[in-house]
Amino acid sequence: MFSSFCSALSVLFIPNSSSLPLDHIHQLPQWFEEELEDDLKWSFAVNRVLHATTSEFQDIVLLDTKRFGKALLLDGKLQSAEKDEFIYHESLVHPALLLHHNPKTVFIMGGGEGSTARETLKHKSIEKVVMCDIDRDVVNFCRAHLKENQDAFQDEKLHIIFDDAKAGLEGRAEKFDVIIGDLSDPHEGGPCNHLYTKSFYEDVIKPKLSDNGIFVTQAGPAGILSHKVFSSIYNTVKHVFKYVIAYTAHVPSYADSCGWVLASDHPIRLDKEDLNNKIHERVRGELRYLDGAFIVSSTVINKTIRTLMMNETHVFTEEDARFAHGRGLVGNA
Ligand SMILES: *[C@@H]1O[C@H](CO)[C@@H](O)[C@H](O)[C@H]1NC(C)=O
Ligand SMILES: *[C@@H]1O[C@H](CO)[C@@H](O)[C@H](O)[C@H]1NC(C)=O
């Protein structure tokens, strides 16, 4: 989801480089380096490249990193890392499902890695999950190589479609209790920009939510110096839904906080005891990161960012988008 540039690997992934023997690749990268901003880089030591392939849309790489375990990269952009992906995926999925009175059907925009489906399927009430990712090869790659998501990929409640998320939603007659945006950040020329616009929320998301339905989207970096996209998505969603909550969490492998925006036209009740009871009753197994108290506290945002967010006037449209740093390659994860 974070835009980045992998200098060590990009050398290897010029279009026709996928024919390089993997042995050759194994010896090369020592450090994975990601450009977070024009003036900021983040790098971590790599043991080896575990798997690498190129799809119609993007380069797909699984690295074994020293600090963060296995790390999935799309076009050199870190998508998630074994050691801390639970922070991002629990935060994306569980608040929305717990705040819904009885979620049975879920639509995931993106999410090809399978972790969002995995977290969703922990809810006993779930009958059907539709995951819509544009890249079949990412899904097959993750199905083959991410052991932790193998059960989710085999679950008969999971229906995978390969399409742009807008077309995927528009093409279905049914409505969903919860719609989840597990998309890459909006960036210049990026493939997901239309999935963050006011008109998309109004004309596509809202009509596809069932009564009391809840929408949640990842909303990019949420740090003091990096919250511009987050603030804009928050303000945009506020123009479309009656009740909107923003919340954040620090994700070590992103070297920043991540933000989410959750919305409904039905009042949202945030109560720590109530959430704890629901986690106990509805979720199979233990959550590692979230409990009632932390879900509530993650919605409390420090004054610096809160003031900027409350004062935000930018509305995200196709003509007037706001971008995170990035190269703008095709990919919907
Ligand atoms: C202030 O809040 C934002 C959003 O929650 C967070 O990303 C940031 O890290 C916070 N700042 C500090 C210094 O903790
Ligand atoms: C936000 O808006 C309030 C009220 O209009 C104003 O007093 C404050 O200075 C603004 N803060 C920022 C950071 O723009």
Side-chain angles (χ1 to χ4, degrees):
M1 42 160 295
F2 275 123
S3 32
S4 63
F5 180 75
C6 170
S7 60
L9 289 164
S10 62
V11 179
L12 300 165
F13 293 113
I14 47 178
N16 55 10
S17 66
S18 55
S19 56
L20 279 174
L22 223 52
D23 286 355
H24 180 57
I25 296 176
H26 281 166
Q27 292 157 16
L28 285 175
Q30 303 295 315
W31 288 85
F32 166 74
E33 187 176 82
E34 181 172 353
E35 191 178 290
L36 298 178
E37 304 276 351
D38 286 332
D39 56 359
L40 184 66
K41 285 182 179 178
W42 169 234
S43 66
F44 35 90
V46 171
N47 290 321
R48 62 196 191 99
V49 178
L50 296 171
H51 303 281
T53 188
T54 303
S55 79
E56 179 190 343
F57 300 103
Q58 55 207 334
D59 296 319
I60 311 166
V61 174
L62 193 64
L63 294 180
D64 177 21
T65 72
K66 289 189 193 293
R67 178 165 291 253
F68 299 115
K70 282 184 290 176
L72 176 70
L73 317 179
L74 297 180
D75 274 337
K77 296 184 282 258
L78 177 68
Q79 303 297 307
S80 81
E82 186 181 4
K83 289 282 169 66
D84 65 7
E85 58 89 1
F86 66 96
I87 302 174
Y88 172 85
H89 291 105
E90 285 194 15
S91 300
L92 175 65
V93 170
H94 297 296
L97 290 184
L98 293 167
L99 291 166
H100 192 281
H101 67 283
N102 185 25
K104 291 184 176 154
T105 55
V106 173
F107 189 96
I108 300 169
M109 303 191 281
E113 152 188 347
S115 305
T116 299
R118 179 197 69 213
E119 293 303 317
T120 302
L121 289 162
K122 287 182 179 168
H123 286 250
K124 296 173 194 162
S125 63
I126 294 300
E127 292 170 0
K128 182 177 186 183
V129 180
V130 178
M131 175 177 121
C132 179
D133 199 289
I134 203 164
D135 195 337
R136 185 184 293 268
D137 293 328
V138 166
V139 173
N140 289 336
F141 184 92
C142 295
R143 200 198 318 252
H145 301 304
L146 300 182
K147 269 199 217 87
E148 55 280 21
N149 294 344
Q150 255 163 22
D151 290 348
F153 277 119
Q154 275 165 20
D155 198 309
E156 59 191 17
K157 291 179 207 136
L158 180 63
H159 303 254
I160 304 177
I161 53 178
F162 302 104
D163 207 341
D164 169 74
K166 180 169 185 272
L169 264 175
E170 281 175 336
R172 304 183 78 87
E174 76 220 90
K175 297 187 177 205
F176 295 88
D177 296 325
V178 175
I179 298 177
I180 298 175
D182 185 12
L183 305 161
S184 50
D185 290 340
H187 53 254
E188 195 99 47
C192 296
N193 300 346
H194 63 297
L195 305 176
Y196 289 98
T197 59
K198 179 166 177 270
S199 64
F200 175 68
Y201 295 148
E202 229 157 33
D203 304 337
V204 182
I205 295 280
K206 237 178 138 157
K208 293 293 177 196
L209 280 176
S210 49
D211 288 345
N212 303 333
I214 295 182
F215 167 60
V216 64
T217 182
Q218 85 83 18
I224 295 276
L225 301 178
S226 64
H227 67 90
K228 284 255 171 232
V229 166
F230 178 48
S231 300
S232 168
I233 293 171
Y234 174 64
N235 185 50
T236 304
V237 175
K238 277 204 298 184
H239 278 74
V240 177
F241 288 91
K242 277 195 206 138
Y243 304 95
V244 181
I245 291 175
Y247 58 100
T248 64
H250 179 74
V251 181
S253 63
Y254 297 154
D256 205 350
S257 300
C258 187
W260 296 268
V261 175
L262 182 153
S264 181
D265 279 337
H266 186 71
I268 298 165
R269 178 164 166 260
L270 273 174
D271 176 83
K272 146 181 122 167
E273 289 311 322
D274 180 52
L275 288 164
N276 279 334
N277 291 339
K278 285 178 174 165
I279 290 171
H280 183 70
E281 286 158 20
R282 296 186 188 181
V283 178
R284 249 180 239 109
E286 292 277 313
L287 298 185
R288 291 171 68 187
Y289 183 66
L290 293 177
D291 61 10
F294 190 76
I295 292 174
V296 175
S297 79
S298 70
T299 68
V300 179
I301 292 179
N302 59 55
K303 191 178 155 194
T304 314
I305 299 285
R306 195 176 59 241
T307 313
L308 294 167
M309 286 176 79
M310 297 316 282
N311 286 9
E312 181 60 70
T313 55
H314 183 259
V315 174
F316 203 109
T317 61
E318 302 241 19
E319 299 72 37
D320 187 14
R322 208 175 251 186
F323 298 127
H325 183 78
R327 285 191 298 161
L329 293 165
V330 176
N332 176 352

